[in-house]
Amino acid sequence: MRRRLWRLIKIAAGILGALALVFVLWAWWLPMPDELLRQPRGTLTLLDIRGRVFAEIGNGEARMQHPVPLAEMGQWLPRMTVALEDHRFYDHDGIDPHALIGALSKDLKAGRIVAGGSTITEQLVKMATHRKGRNWFDKLREAVIAWKLERRWGKEEILAAYLNRSHYGNLRLGPEAAAECYFGKEAKDLTLAEAIYLAGLPQAPTRFNPWLAPGEAKRRYERALARLAELGVIDPSQQKLLADNPPTVMHTTPPRLAPNFCQALLAEHPGLSGRVRTTLDLDLQRTAENLVRAHLQTLTGGDVSNAAMVVLDNSDGAVRAMVGSADYATCEVNGALTPRSSGSTLKPFIYLAALDRRILTAATILPDTPDAIREEYADYDPQN
């Protein structure tokens, strides 16, 4: 009997050892998600020749996302985020045993995964892998990658990557976009109250949407204050002062001027990202738009319903203004780029070039047929 029991123990130990070896090999082989190793591209911001923003171009993932270094996120938001999301962030190696045990207890009681106990590092891995559902295998995989990531990156780098990918509602990703969207300022200028308000949004950005559910967002802010007081991050007097003076949320939307120019630029350079200075002159663009509308009003008696204009810099061909139609909202067709028969459109330019080169004068009588023109100027040398 003892021999049989001992044999069973040996078999069980062998199986457990084999499983442990398989797990170690799997963990060693498990690669980092490709997206985690790439910096977020962010959304495209277009600047005119003087550096003024005239358009923010979103993508499928974000309406606005402007990744910034941790040092440019201000003194409050990173600290409040760590306190609310993972207050032992600087003490663990990517996995928090205390949070894990607490979450496991809740999950066992519920019979399903209701709490994850995820660290900021694990949440960053989840963002990079785009996990949607909840299952034990995915949680284990994220934990292993988080543990490996902590040995490759420093805490500051992990926190910056997490914040720049965090969803703050209304397709605003990252502190810079959220601060501009809700408070009309840069992240580094956020007050303590504004930072606490934003730090609570990524937990459920749809449910706590400041524009669509301001009541829920305010209650989340108050719960965040209570949690921070419980952790000793703020004292009771600060909690009361901040609760009595919640931040005022704005509804700031990104600019989208010169739509035909933006459309043409993206068609020519589809891979643009970040902040890009263009050839557009915003003042000249506004003038061109006003001129097009004013000119159309003078043609009300004719059968003319639209117009277009392009202003080029003769020295280098740069587009300084582009108006594709009188009203982009009702006509998105870019008349400035629509192919058409040139007809007499080019004649003034040809005459001006001839006058400039002294081939003609204002008093010159032109031949009336193409053959006569060719015969008249057969000996002309454009180099002389």
Side-chain angles (χ1 to χ4, degrees):
M1 185 68 179
R2 288 182 179 177
R3 288 182 179 178
R4 183 176 299 175
L5 181 60
W6 181 246
R7 187 179 301 165
L8 290 174
I9 291 173
K10 284 185 175 181
I11 293 172
I15 293 173
L16 289 174
L19 290 175
L21 178 61
V22 169
F23 176 79
V24 169
L25 291 174
W26 172 72
W28 176 81
W29 167 84
L30 195 61
M32 293 285 180
D34 290 339
E35 186 173 320
L36 192 61
L37 303 178
R38 290 193 297 263
Q39 291 294 326
R41 289 180 58 194
T43 49
L44 175 62
T45 301
L46 297 179
L47 314 175
D48 82 336
I49 57 173
R50 294 179 179 84
R52 295 170 293 186
V53 176
F54 67 87
E56 294 271 3
I57 312 297
N59 54 42
E61 295 182 359
R63 182 65 185 86
M64 284 180 66
Q65 181 186 29
H66 302 305
V68 294
L70 195 66
E72 295 180 20
M73 296 181 190
Q75 61 171 322
W76 296 119
L77 184 59
R79 289 171 57 187
M80 297 304 106
T81 299
V82 168
L84 292 172
E85 291 294 322
D86 182 7
H87 67 278
R88 285 184 287 269
F89 174 67
Y90 290 101
D91 300 321
H92 61 64
D93 294 324
I95 305 168
D96 185 354
H98 298 85
L100 196 58
I101 292 171
L104 182 61
S105 175
K106 293 178 182 178
D107 294 342
L108 291 174
K109 287 180 181 178
R112 58 189 177 88
I113 299 179
V114 294
S118 296
T119 64
I120 282 177
T121 314
E122 289 174 297
Q123 292 180 54
L124 172 59
V125 174
K126 177 184 174 182
M127 294 175 186
T129 56
H130 301 287
R131 175 171 67 85
K132 300 297 183 183
R134 289 182 169 184
N135 61 67
W136 292 108
F137 179 78
D138 285 336
K139 290 288 296 177
L140 178 61
R141 177 170 173 266
E142 288 168 10
V144 171
I145 295 177
W147 183 84
K148 294 174 69 173
L149 184 62
E150 290 264 353
R151 278 144 188 79
R152 180 178 297 191
W153 290 5
K155 290 289 187 179
E156 305 300 309
E157 188 177 1
I158 291 171
L159 182 58
Y162 168 76
L163 288 168
N164 277 319
R165 289 172 171 81
S166 290
H167 197 321
Y168 290 89
N170 296 298
L171 292 179
R172 269 61 177 183
L173 270 62
E176 195 72 5
E180 183 178 337
C181 169
Y182 300 127
F183 301 116
K185 59 177 66 174
E186 296 179 358
K188 63 183 177 62
D189 298 324
L190 289 170
T191 65
L192 175 58
E194 291 166 345
I196 294 172
Y197 188 97
L198 290 183
L201 299 183
Q203 189 180 77
T206 301
R207 182 153 58 95
F208 302 141
N209 189 316
W211 293 345
L212 302 179
E216 284 292 330
K218 186 173 183 294
R219 283 187 285 275
R220 173 56 187 155
Y221 170 71
E222 292 169 349
R223 289 196 297 273
L225 292 176
R227 177 59 176 161
L228 291 171
E230 178 186 339
L231 292 170
V233 177
I234 59 176
D235 59 43
S237 62
Q238 284 180 300
Q239 179 186 358
K240 185 177 186 310
L241 180 63
L242 291 167
D244 292 341
N245 299 277
T248 301
V249 176
M250 303 170 61
H251 194 138
T252 305
T253 55
R256 188 68 180 270
L257 307 175
N260 291 119
F261 180 88
C262 296
Q263 187 182 57
L265 181 67
L266 293 177
E268 187 73 19
H269 305 282
L272 287 177
S273 63
R275 295 174 69 85
V276 175
R277 189 181 289 254
T278 70
T279 62
L280 188 82
D281 184 328
L282 196 52
D283 296 330
L284 193 55
Q285 175 69 25
R286 294 192 179 104
T287 300
E289 292 173 357
N290 292 333
L291 285 173
V292 166
R293 285 191 288 267
H295 185 63
L296 282 174
Q297 289 177 359
T298 67
L299 302 174
T300 52
D303 189 21
V304 180
S305 61
N306 224 324
M309 178 188 292
V310 176
V311 180
L312 301 178
D313 188 327
N314 285 337
S315 64
D316 57 8
V319 177
R320 301 301 184 199
M322 178 181 287
V323 184
S325 64
D327 184 3
Y328 185 81
T330 58
C331 179
E332 296 185 10
V333 175
N334 190 345
L337 298 180
T338 302
R340 63 176 67 81
S341 174
S342 62
S344 297
T345 304
L346 297 179
K347 289 180 181 178
F349 296 98
I350 296 172
Y351 294 153
L352 285 172
L355 291 169
D356 186 56
R357 298 179 183 182
R358 300 175 186 245
I359 303 170
L360 307 173
T361 70
T364 300
I365 299 176
L366 297 177
D368 58 359
T369 65
D371 290 338
I373 293 174
R374 281 193 289 271
E375 183 179 347
E376 178 76 20
Y377 297 101
D379 298 330
Y380 170 68
D381 184 358
Q383 301 298 324
N384 297 320

